[in-house]
Amino acid sequence: MMNKTNHIKLVFDKATTRLAYYPYGKEVYEQQVKPNIDFSNDITYIEFPDQIVKAASSFVQGFFEDIISNIGYEAIEKKIVILSKNESLKSSIKTNLIF
């Protein structure tokens, strides 16, 4: 059986390299992810542009709040894949998802 997937490419101002603030995380999720995410899919790829190198815990918590309430914290590792050329971004997101 084929996995159902979707791929969401995030867009940020080119000058932005770091993401912070809970309300901004929620806003990015509401505008760019919520209209495109299907929680019945097996895997959702969320791709961050190359210039983003870090995400503060406040941004991560705002961004993932709705995802966690829909699929639960345990399912995030199985169902959400963060794509980024920057390992520092991926590790900061993983670290900051631990509430």
Side-chain angles (χ1 to χ4, degrees), residues 41-83:
N41 284 342
D42 297 312
I43 297 173
T44 297
Y45 296 95
I46 299 176
E47 184 174 346
F48 284 80
D50 294 349
Q51 86 266 14
I52 305 295
V53 293
K54 276 260 189 314
S57 61
S58 56
F59 176 89
V60 171
Q61 289 168 5
F63 186 87
F64 282 95
E65 181 183 53
D66 192 54
I67 296 172
I68 291 166
S69 71
N70 274 281
I71 63 172
Y73 183 74
E74 298 74 33
I76 283 186
E77 258 189 308
K78 295 180 194 88
K79 296 185 77 146
I80 305 292
V81 177
I82 302 298
L83 300 175

